[in-house]
Amino acid sequence: MTKKAKGQTEITIYPDWCKGCGICVEFCPAKVLALGRDGKARVARLDECINCGFCERHCPDFAIVVRGKGRKRRAPACAENGETPVDKE
Amino acid sequence: MADITELIHDYLRHNKKFPHVFCAGCGHGIVLGALIRSIHALGLSKDEVCIVAGIGCSGRIAAYVDFNTVHTTHGRALTFATGIKMANPKLKVITIMGDGDAMSIGGNHLIHAARRNIGVTALVLNNNIYGMTGGQCSATTPQGATTQTTPFGQMEKAFDIVTLAAAAGANGVYRGSTFHVNMLDRLVATAIERPGFNLVEIITPCHTQYGRKNKYKSAVDMFKWIKKNCVPKEKFDALPEADRGEKMPIGTFVEKDHKGLEQLYGELQARLNRPGRPVAEPEQPSAQHAEESRNIMNKEPK
Ligand code: SF4
Ligand code: SF4
């Protein structure tokens, strides 16, 4: 298998939805993620991400979004009623 | 891998409280994601799908997704689903049950749904325990495991859901795990697409009620256990008996092409409705009736 290119992604983690279970932190093959002091997942080493999609598929709370660098955020259909998870950086 | 999560957000009911009620690291959220991705991959519209759930932590899944949904009584998801499918065979009817729901209180419904081969997809979320009610042992708690009601270890043997469903006559029988998610997506999509009764057993962790009492301190430990012990069926079959230990095969177990009950029923209807035979017009619901049923539908479930 060819090595995957690193650092091609942007990662957003919604702290309001993350429950800090630690699955993404434990199993990320590139050790990109870490648990912050508040117990929520954080992006620690963005440049190492190989865009494998593990964290997105395994987050039980749909709190992680991985998208290609520079790709526009698609406004979810639900954005109008203000119920989208808030993106606090 | 782009946009998996954004896609899932499109299918959620955002007037429900999020994050959902499941414990941190509960596998039910992953199953919910797999279900949404499978339905999306099959190109089904939200209105073509009906989710029927029983009682238990897994039953909450029905509340969060923006399909037609019914949250039914304990163990009876399959009976509701059978009625829905017979009345409207065009719907893709998917039941979501926990192991307690499907194998204990609803065990008889499960074997008869499989025997009838009704065109329903059954997802059985097996976490080896009654999670919501406080961690009592269930019919799938492994022998020797400690639970709230078996403090000295479970003496009874556990059900093998896959073998049971296959013996009862299900058209398709699959087992997946919440760690092997790509495979799970595939299995769920296949089970939804194929005719007749298709069952997917999904190994999902409940560290709150099961793990903590059985040497898995955290959700991560439970996922490590699943990662280690769920092996593809082909690999499992090649293992010598002595090395199998706790291991469980995952993959496709049965795939038959028998016609579903609703298909046979449709054919019977067509046969009996010969030309020249008077057929009564179906009754149209009155405006008041429609209004009433809309009111019921819009009521928030407690
Ligand atoms: S996409 Fe893969 S490499 Fe990137 S953060 Fe997620 S799990 Fe780690
Ligand atoms: S009690 Fe168990 S099954 Fe229920 S939400 Fe918590 S971890 Fe999941």
Side-chain angles (χ1 to χ4, degrees):
Chain A
M1 215 171 90
T2 48
K3 257 211 172 137
K4 292 206 184 162
K6 290 180 188 175
Q8 304 294 310
T9 56
E10 277 165 26
I11 304 173
T12 313
I13 299 177
Y14 303 119
D16 290 357
W17 284 33
C18 173
K19 291 177 187 156
C21 66
I23 297 172
C24 56
V25 176
E26 174 69 30
F27 294 105
C28 168
K31 300 272 163 278
V32 173
L33 306 161
L35 280 186
R37 232 173 292 140
D38 58 354
K40 313 270 172 145
R42 286 264 185 290
V43 183
R45 306 195 303 158
L46 184 60
D47 293 343
E48 298 292 312
C49 175
I50 52 170
N51 198 10
C52 68
F54 181 97
C55 53
E56 267 197 309
R57 280 168 198 269
H58 286 78
C59 176
D61 285 277
F62 319 122
I64 308 181
V65 179
V66 182
R67 65 174 89 68
K69 232 182 197 143
R71 275 204 58 227
K72 269 265 182 58
R73 179 120 162 248
R74 194 166 53 86
C78 52
E80 307 98 57
N81 57 16
E83 294 284 356
T84 351
V86 213
D87 172 9
K88 288 184 212 148
E89 290 292 26
Chain B
M1 290 311 134
D3 300 336
I4 298 171
T5 303
E6 289 186 345
L7 179 133
I8 287 173
H9 289 170
D10 284 351
Y11 282 86
L12 298 178
R13 283 185 180 144
H14 286 268
N15 56 348
K16 300 287 165 194
K17 276 226 160 60
F18 277 95
H20 48 54
V21 291
F22 306 129
C23 307
C26 175
H28 290 359
I30 300 178
V31 177
L32 173 55
L35 175 72
I36 290 174
R37 286 191 299 270
S38 311
I39 290 171
H40 181 83
L42 292 174
L44 298 169
S45 78
K46 289 181 183 176
D47 288 337
E48 280 174 288
V49 177
C50 182
I51 307 280
V52 187
I55 298 296
C57 296
S58 58
R60 292 296 303 168
I61 287 181
Y64 292 122
V65 278
D66 194 14
F67 303 117
N68 302 298
T69 58
V70 202
H71 196 171
T72 68
T73 48
H74 202 358
R76 315 291 179 233
L78 278 171
T79 61
F80 286 79
T82 304
I84 293 167
K85 186 70 183 182
M86 290 303 277
N88 187 355
K90 288 203 194 85
L91 277 180
K92 292 279 183 198
V93 183
I94 304 166
T95 64
I96 298 181
M97 299 170 286
D99 51 325
D101 207 43
M103 305 312 296
S104 302
I105 188 157
N108 226 354
H109 297 308
L110 184 102
I111 56 179
H112 287 288
R115 175 183 64 81
R116 288 184 185 125
N117 203 22
I118 177 84
V120 165
T121 310
L123 306 185
V124 180
L125 281 64
N126 181 4
N127 54 12
N128 301 334
I129 198 106
Y130 284 98
M132 181 179 264
T133 50
Q136 296 86 351
C137 71
S138 76
T140 49
T141 303
Q143 208 171 18
T146 317
T147 70
Q148 195 76 27
T149 46
T150 57
F152 305 109
Q154 165 71 303
M155 289 180 289
E156 302 165 9
K157 283 212 275 186
F159 256 134
D160 184 339
I161 302 178
V162 161
T163 322
L164 181 84
N171 235 7
V173 181
Y174 312 86
R175 184 191 279 131
S177 95
T178 44
F179 186 84
H180 305 86
V181 168
N182 290 348
M183 179 199 248
L184 183 64
D185 283 11
R186 227 170 32 241
L187 295 179
V188 173
T190 319
I192 295 173
E193 206 181 15
R194 284 175 46 79
F197 185 76
N198 289 276
L199 178 140
V200 191
E201 176 189 358
I202 304 170
I203 307 293
T204 162
C206 171
H207 83 281
T208 306
Q209 301 291 8
Y210 180 79
R212 286 187 306 170
K213 290 204 159 29
N214 294 283
K215 69 187 189 283
Y216 308 108
K217 290 251 159 22
S218 65
V220 168
D221 288 347
M222 290 242 53
F223 276 94
K224 282 184 186 155
W225 170 74
I226 292 179
K227 183 183 181 188
K228 182 167 148 238
N229 285 313
C230 287
V231 291
K233 186 168 173 291
E234 302 70 40
K235 242 165 111 186
F236 181 86
D237 290 341
L239 277 178
E241 198 82 38
D243 294 349
R244 290 187 182 173
E246 274 194 296
K247 289 203 186 336
M248 274 171 291
I250 52 175
T252 304
F253 290 80
V254 173
E255 225 163 50
K256 289 186 286 198
D257 283 311
H258 297 165
K259 280 181 188 163
L261 178 65
E262 78 289 351
Q263 263 172 300
L264 296 173
Y265 184 70
E267 289 173 11
L268 176 70
Q269 267 181 325
R271 249 195 342 267
L272 295 183
N273 288 342
R274 292 183 305 267
R277 203 162 171 273
V279 183
E281 280 292 313
E283 251 180 70
Q284 293 301 326
S286 67
Q288 187 201 352
H289 178 265
E291 173 69 29
E292 273 170 16
S293 52
R294 230 186 340 267
N295 285 347
I296 294 173
M297 303 273 277
N298 288 342
K299 246 194 211 144
E300 282 283 301
K302 295 250 159 62

